[in-house]
Amino acid sequence: MQKYEKLLLSELRIALYDNTEEFSLTHERLTKAVTLNENLLSLGYTLNAKDIILLAQSLSLDTFYHSLLSLMDEIPAKPMYPDFPTQVMEIDEATYRMHQLVHYFSTYGVESLFPVEVAKGWLPNVKESIKTREDDKLLEAKVLELIPQTNQYQTPFIRILSKRERMTIPEKEMISMACIHIPEHILKDTSIQFKENLLELSWVFFETMKKEQFIKAMSSICQHTGDVLRVISYVYKRNHYHFTKSNKKMFVRVLESFPISDFKVNIMISNKKREETLFALQALDYQEYSRSRKHNQAVKSLRQKELHSWYSKVHDLLSIKDENAVSFIGQHPGTLLRMVSWLVRLGYSPEKIQMELIQHVESLSMQTLVSILTHFGQEFEGEKEEEARDVYNICLAVFEAKATTLKTALTGRSVYLEMNNISLENSLIETNSKSQEGGYIRSGLALKIPDAVKRLRFFVYWNDKRRVDIDLHAFARNLEGEDIHIGWNSHYKKEGIVMSGDITHSNAAEYIDVDLENQSLDFVNTSIHIFSGYDNFKDIDECFVGMMAVNQLGEDVKLYNKKNCFFSHHLKGVGRAMNYGYIDVKRRILIFNGSQDEGTGKKKVSQFTLQTYLEALLTGQGCILVNNKEEAEVILTLEKAKEVKEVSLLDNNFFMEA
């Protein structure tokens, strides 16, 4: 239960309150709730006025603070040099390197010489001050949303699966915990827009549900036969290419619950789809267990290549450069949108493609448009430069046209942008390319670093039953173009960047500090890497990483302060290296990257930024931008809504849904 609540907090910024009994709203209870909200600031959170009143009337009033505190992460281990960063900045290199060599020998060296496993290596006996002081509060409190305990599973289930984007790893964990508590009518009413999410959910159902329950659930969440066929292939592979007789009959019943007209259309969409369909049907021994003569006959026609696909006609038209190909593909607008680059490359008129897409703009996916614009807005060289420019211009015009057709809370309203903590011109909207590590602040968004913040601290804490060695690295460049590497195998301090030492065993912490007042730095890319122990972050019991604002550096100041974290993650991805965060020192912005590579280069840049998106969206919606909140009918934000007229781009998933 606590793990589920921690995921609600980190991914959705949601906390639960006990609504099983409601108290009268008295002055005493309201005062207590307001005081509690003041205390939440020490944890980096705050409640809106509506939720303060809910809490005042709830059984949770007396327990909420400590319940939330129990969900907050700590770093129980100390770094190699506990009085970091001062201690490291003052140490001479000869001493630092000697400590490093002895520490390595005490683990890797001993294990290579003797048939033993070393649980913990030698650490230098250095000064360790008692940490008594908290750093200043440097970041604005994050707004926390309350939901009743009675809705703790249904609300996140609907919110996550209704989004038109792939679930992150933490979201998958939440859904797997929640779905067994979801009643059948909610399953039936929840439209799963992104097909990969359907596959993940179907696997959970396959593992947890009995036959009749599974058949009902799959018939509810699958929109057509094509969905079922994808599920069969996915579950079959994930189940180590094995189905029992009962499994086969179960899936055949789900397939034949769809009308024959739907069945025939979806088993032959393309030649590739035909092969995938035959693979799924073979896994079921379909013709042995089929009970529908019409469905069985359709499968026979498929095997005998008597069914022809719409895609085969498309390929025939394109192979002869038929001038009617664009309008023919326009019968399936989503396919036309995904084929824009190909059509441009074949020499079809960009104007004709654009015109055809605009005719069908209402049925086009916002997610696909945003994804294409972000990709083709990047810099390309050589022959691809002109193609990329054409694709970008086509899709930008289509996006602007689509913005006029949307029905949102913004239409025709006066709007104030509450985004002072976001650099709009440096923020990218990542869709399918977003980090799978999740978090409420999605990858690609550029956070402005407040003026009061003197340093950024990149941190990691890890622990496992085995000895695991995690490394932090900083790859920087100064204003003269010199590349700088801070890590165990390079500098340990240079140009205002300093590391806390490299520990090679579990239950350990490492830090890298970046001095933002250093005038010579251009940018810093931070990364994390598994040196030994496992090949994937997902296999480590705990790997907690994040980026924190720092002001005070005294030896008695605590190294970790939860209220000053810009973002943090418990890494669960596949891979042993991650490009975690990008720091633009000159412009004072911070971007969570979270991509599965070590990455040493500059941040990704595209013409299609959050600013471009908002300008097109607000213009298309007929909005009037105002300069203060009081004049606005709608306040548009990237945070949780604090008042009634606020609309959150993240919570409402505008990048995919609008």
Side-chain angles (χ1 to χ4, degrees), residues 184-429:
E184 189 178 327
H185 73 276
I186 296 291
L187 286 179
K188 191 171 184 178
D189 293 341
T190 303
S191 177
I192 302 175
Q193 300 293 329
F194 199 84
K195 297 308 180 186
E196 286 189 27
N197 296 343
L198 173 69
L199 303 182
E200 290 291 334
L201 186 59
S202 67
W203 173 252
V204 177
F205 288 170
F206 181 76
E207 284 199 307
T208 59
M209 289 182 173
K210 294 182 179 178
K211 182 177 178 180
E212 293 301 322
Q213 186 184 15
F214 180 84
I215 292 170
K216 285 184 179 180
M218 293 307 298
S219 298
S220 297
I221 65 174
C222 291
Q223 296 180 359
H224 49 68
T225 306
D227 285 350
V228 183
L229 290 166
R230 289 188 68 183
V231 166
I232 292 166
S233 296
Y234 178 79
V235 173
Y236 185 58
K237 292 174 184 176
R238 194 159 173 179
N239 202 45
H240 308 292
Y241 296 92
H242 173 72
F243 278 153
T244 65
K245 183 177 179 179
S246 177
N247 295 155
K248 294 174 182 179
K249 288 183 175 181
M250 178 174 71
F251 275 116
V252 169
R253 281 183 57 189
V254 176
L255 274 175
E256 294 184 348
S257 67
F258 288 87
I260 185 61
S261 56
D262 178 276
F263 187 81
K264 290 180 73 172
V265 166
N266 281 283
I267 62 175
M268 187 52 186
I269 295 176
S270 65
N271 290 331
K272 181 181 177 183
K273 181 67 177 177
R274 175 181 179 275
E275 299 305 315
E276 293 172 354
T277 299
L278 290 175
F279 173 80
L281 295 174
Q282 184 178 355
L284 298 182
D285 293 328
Y286 179 78
Q287 288 177 302
E288 180 179 347
Y289 297 112
S290 172
R291 295 294 177 266
S292 167
R293 185 180 60 80
K294 290 182 178 180
H295 288 74
N296 208 320
Q297 184 57 49
V299 172
K300 286 181 181 178
S301 298
L302 179 70
R303 292 186 190 280
Q304 294 166 9
K305 298 186 178 182
E306 294 173 357
L307 297 180
H308 300 285
S309 71
W310 177 82
Y311 275 94
S312 64
K313 177 64 173 175
V314 169
H315 283 278
D316 289 343
L317 291 174
L318 294 180
S319 66
I320 58 172
K321 302 287 182 68
D322 191 292
E323 62 180 12
N324 297 314
V326 172
S327 57
F328 180 79
I329 301 169
Q331 296 172 13
H332 293 237
T335 301
L336 178 60
L337 181 59
R338 290 189 291 273
M339 292 179 67
V340 168
S341 176
W342 187 12
L343 292 170
V344 168
R345 196 177 311 130
L346 289 174
Y348 285 93
S349 162
E351 292 77 14
K352 187 171 183 179
I353 298 169
Q354 179 179 309
M355 191 181 305
E356 186 70 31
L357 284 168
I358 289 176
Q359 288 180 18
H360 307 284
V361 72
E362 291 189 44
S363 60
L364 295 177
S365 161
M366 176 70 86
Q367 180 200 25
T368 307
L369 272 170
V370 169
S371 180
I372 293 173
L373 283 165
T374 301
H375 177 74
F376 285 97
Q378 298 178 80
E379 289 187 9
F380 289 84
E381 296 180 354
E383 296 178 359
K384 290 188 175 181
E385 183 180 2
E386 186 176 354
E387 177 191 323
R389 184 172 62 249
D390 286 340
V391 174
Y392 182 83
N393 290 336
I394 290 168
C395 290
L396 184 60
V398 174
F399 178 84
E400 290 169 345
K402 185 171 179 64
T404 65
T405 69
L406 302 172
K407 295 179 175 60
T408 75
L410 309 178
T411 309
R413 314 289 287 279
S414 56
V415 176
Y416 175 79
L417 296 181
E418 178 75 290
M419 298 187 187
N420 296 330
N421 62 333
I422 299 289
S423 174
L424 301 181
E425 67 274 17
N426 287 290
S427 293
L428 298 189
I429 304 170

Side-chain angles (χ1 to χ4, degrees), residues 474-603:
F475 299 94
R477 185 170 296 166
N478 63 24
L479 294 176
E480 295 179 356
E482 179 190 0
D483 289 330
I484 302 154
H485 176 202
I486 305 295
W488 71 269
N489 55 346
S490 189
H491 300 288
Y492 69 97
K493 57 180 178 181
K494 189 172 183 180
E495 298 272 21
I497 310 172
V498 57
M499 67 177 296
S500 65
D502 177 30
I503 297 179
T504 62
H505 53 249
S506 294
N507 192 26
E510 291 183 12
Y511 302 92
I512 289 181
D513 271 17
V514 178
D515 183 359
L516 298 175
E517 296 183 319
N518 188 301
Q519 298 298 310
S520 66
L521 283 175
D522 183 3
F523 70 88
V524 182
N525 242 6
T526 60
S527 70
I528 181 169
H529 178 261
I530 304 173
F531 187 85
S532 68
Y534 294 101
D535 291 328
N536 297 291
F537 288 112
K538 69 180 179 62
D539 296 326
I540 302 171
D541 288 344
E542 183 173 10
C543 185
F544 175 53
V545 60
M547 198 72 74
M548 188 174 74
V550 175
N551 191 358
Q552 298 186 41
L553 295 183
E555 294 178 352
D556 59 346
V557 178
K558 296 177 181 178
L559 294 179
Y560 171 70
N561 193 331
K562 59 179 74 70
K563 68 176 179 285
N564 281 339
C565 286
F566 285 94
F567 42 74
S568 59
H569 299 82
H570 284 272
L571 300 186
K572 294 293 182 183
V574 176
R576 62 185 306 143
M578 173 177 290
N579 185 351
Y580 187 72
Y582 173 86
I583 305 165
D584 188 326
V585 180
K586 189 177 178 181
R587 295 175 180 80
R588 291 183 67 88
I589 59 174
L590 170 65
I591 301 172
F592 166 52
N593 187 307
S595 60
Q596 292 291 342
D597 61 83
E598 196 160 349
T600 60
K602 281 197 170 187
K603 69 182 176 77

Side-chain angles (χ1 to χ4, degrees), residues 590-653:
L590 170 65
I591 301 172
F592 166 52
N593 187 307
S595 60
Q596 292 291 342
D597 61 83
E598 196 160 349
T600 60
K602 281 197 170 187
K603 69 182 176 77
K604 186 165 70 173
V605 176
S606 174
Q607 296 179 66
F608 192 73
T609 64
L610 179 54
Q611 182 168 302
T612 316
Y613 166 87
L614 287 172
E615 287 173 353
L617 177 69
L618 297 177
T619 300
Q621 289 286 284
C623 298
I624 301 171
L625 270 180
V626 295
N627 294 322
N628 61 70
K629 296 181 183 180
E630 289 71 28
E631 296 177 12
E633 295 173 275
V634 176
I635 299 171
L636 199 56
T637 178
L638 274 165
E639 297 288 337
K640 287 277 181 187
K642 295 191 287 290
E643 52 184 278
V644 175
K645 62 181 182 179
E646 286 192 354
V647 174
S648 169
L649 279 174
L650 290 181
D651 278 356
N652 290 280
N653 206 31

